[in-house]
Amino acid sequence: MSSPKYQSPKGTRDILPDDHLYFSFIKKVVRHRCREAGYRRISTPMFEDIEVFIHSIGETTDIVEKEMFVFESKSGKKLALKPEGTAGVVRAYLEHGMQQLPQPVELYYIEPHFRYSRPQKGRYRQFHQFGFEIIGEADSAIDAQVIYLAHKINQDLGVADRLTLQLNTIGCPNCRKQYREDLINYYTGKERSLCADCQMRLHRNPMRLLDCKEEDCQILASMAPKFENVIDQECKEHFELVKEYLDELKVPYVLNPQLVRGLDYYTRTVFEFWSKKEGAQNATGGGGRYDGLVELMGGQPTPGIGYAAGMERIVEYMQEAGIRPPNKDRIHVFIAQLGLIAKKRSLSLLNELRERGINVVGSAGKDSIKSQMHVADRLKARFSLIMGQIEVQEGTIILRDMDKGSQEILPYKGIVDVVASNIGENKLAKKNLWEE
Ligand code: HAM
């Protein structure tokens, strides 16, 4: 087959109806769990003033240095598509005076994001994240609750057993000052063994050298000075409590002193969910505390913590695990008809069935019943209703069970009740869309 003239841009994917089964299910779980925990939904624009990202994520991070889609407005303002959600949420928190609301403020989002990185398995230029942020509380119990929520969602989606929670603390800027120097001293003289990225990062962001994935860098990182030797008492106690609370909540974790995360706003607790599969490098999600970010963005000192997960990656893990989300799209009934009167009747029958929460498709063309039934088969309809001239004259309709291949002639009157009870009334979607 020759390839079509137009294809989706490099690093982007169409989310086809079968993929949406997964995306819709993830959204449903996230909405449900977030609501239960008191979060409210927020959406920030797809693009922001570039400074919002530079200032928060950090000038020397890969995201800001290499991965942003940057463009100029007609007035010459530099804008960027959002590569992640936290910066925009914190900007909105300040812009809309959310400091005045009861603290902490709990927000969640489900949005597309954009990073101009080399496309590969699990890495796209447009991808979807769900995430949540709690702004306005520094207590370790909040860290444990955020991590618990992420873990719970992984459990609901059936992927928790395939993942490990990697946990670390990177302390506060105070304890990091000393550590920065220790690291620069340790790496000085060893530059030639480092990858090109790490050589660049050494003086600008030496902690990032600890979680480089290159083999030689990892060997050096394993022998580097340990953060636990310089962490201050307060940060240490904060982390001890995070671990105690996680134990209490029975959330399993692996302590990983080399976990640093790729964004500069983090302080203290950082965490990621990694695959248990050998060699798999992509995290399904990650997050951490950002106690300095609100102030950095121009607000009063206000602590915060959050998490975001990559939905494409989670879908991949669900598929690997053989998980199929419930399919609410299934066509319950296909209506086949022949002749003008039958067609007219089928129009109101369609609507009556739909009002009962039944998913119905009706044939509109003038094809033979045989070819209409062929379509019903291909659509995998559960039942077909067939109405030709004879049935119209006799006031009947044929109900065909497509799974069993059997059929019966029934009175037209009352057919909606019969179909609804065959499908199982309790399986049908609620029709009151305004119900809370
Ligand atoms: P992040 O680790 O950069 O954190 O991204 C979170 C997740 O988004 C990743 O673990 C991954 O699953 C997914 N992801 C990132 N880049 C791509 C990509 N190019 N293609 C597919 N999936 C991707 C953040 O974004 C932080 N804002 C998380 C956070 C919220 N921290 C505090 N609050």
Side-chain angles (χ1 to χ4, degrees), residues 18-76:
D18 275 345
D19 304 320
H20 264 298
L21 290 184
Y22 290 86
F23 281 83
S24 301
F25 186 63
I26 296 173
K27 280 183 207 162
K28 182 175 162 185
V29 166
V30 170
R31 280 201 304 258
H32 171 70
R33 289 295 177 199
C34 285
R35 258 190 217 130
E36 258 181 5
Y39 290 79
R40 299 190 69 205
R41 188 162 174 181
I42 185 167
S43 293
T44 59
M46 287 300 129
F47 55 89
E48 299 267 357
D49 187 326
I50 193 170
E51 290 299 323
V52 169
F53 302 122
I54 295 179
H55 224 63
S56 56
I57 300 168
E59 216 161 340
T60 61
T61 57
D62 285 352
I63 297 181
V64 166
E65 272 188 342
K66 310 182 199 160
E67 297 179 355
M68 282 203 297
F69 280 89
V70 179
F71 59 101
E72 244 175 51
S73 71
K74 284 193 177 160
S75 65

Side-chain angles (χ1 to χ4, degrees), residues 11 63 67 83-87 109 113-118 120 122-134 261-263 265-266 271-273 282-290 304-314:
I63 297 181
E67 297 179 355
E84 61 98 53
T86 314
Y109 46 89
H113 292 84
F114 307 86
R115 292 187 194 176
Y116 191 82
S117 46
R118 199 165 54 81
Q120 49 187 283
R123 176 160 306 172
Y124 306 102
R125 291 184 174 171
Q126 175 175 338
F127 59 99
H128 297 76
Q129 281 186 347
F130 68 81
F132 31 87
E133 315 289 344
I134 300 193
R261 306 267 304 133
L263 303 96
Y265 50 60
Y266 290 114
F271 62 99
E272 279 181 2
F273 289 94
N282 287 339
T284 56
R289 189 159 268 297
Y290 45 85
I305 180 169
Y307 166 77
M311 291 168 73
E312 283 78 1
R313 291 190 190 170
I314 292 196

Side-chain angles (χ1 to χ4, degrees), residues 337-347 366 388-389 392:
Q337 41 71 28
L338 206 62
L340 187 61
I341 305 175
K343 189 188 254 183
K344 281 186 182 163
R345 268 199 196 166
S346 77
L347 287 180
K366 295 188 184 75
Q389 270 131 353
V392 169

Side-chain angles (χ1 to χ4, degrees), residues 59 84 135 150 199 220 226 238 310 392:
E59 216 161 340
E84 61 98 53
I135 306 176
Q199 287 182 18
L220 281 180
K226 303 281 176 263
H238 188 274
V392 169

